Amino acid sequence: MKLVNKKMDLKQFIYRKETFGKIPKSEEDKEVFNIAFGVDAYFVPQMGIMITSILLNNSDCRLHVHAFLNSIQDEDIEKLKTLSDQYRNIQIDMY
């Protein structure tokens, strides 16, 4: 089997992107930890719990969350916005 190296244009799969929060610049060159989730509407609450746990146990890190979703409920969007407002060291990008 031969693997073909083709560049995939992800724009054809991503219909919308929304960002909550902004990763602060670090004067100490702290690394940004990127975490990606691929979830549907039923798993968003569990994703929120995992993100909260990471933030509570790593308050000194900068976190960039990439959430690839096929659907999400309005109340979960509000909860993620609140999470990004509560913790200033996180940015959440929803695709």
Side-chain angles (χ1 to χ4, degrees), residues 79-90:
K79 288 177 183 177
L80 291 173
K81 283 182 188 177
T82 301
L83 183 66
S84 68
D85 290 340
Q86 185 177 358
Y87 295 93
R88 296 292 180 189
N89 57 331
I90 185 172

Side-chain angles (χ1 to χ4, degrees), residues 30-71:
K30 288 185 184 173
E31 187 176 359
V32 174
F33 293 97
N34 288 280
I35 299 177
F37 293 93
V39 298
D40 62 14
Y42 298 107
F43 195 74
V44 173
Q46 290 83 352
M47 178 184 76
I49 291 168
M50 187 179 297
I51 292 169
T52 303
S53 177
I54 292 168
L55 290 168
L56 288 172
N57 292 292
N58 300 280
S59 60
D60 61 333
C61 77
R62 297 182 306 151
L63 185 63
H64 191 175
V65 174
H66 306 271
F68 295 89
L69 308 155
N70 64 351
S71 63

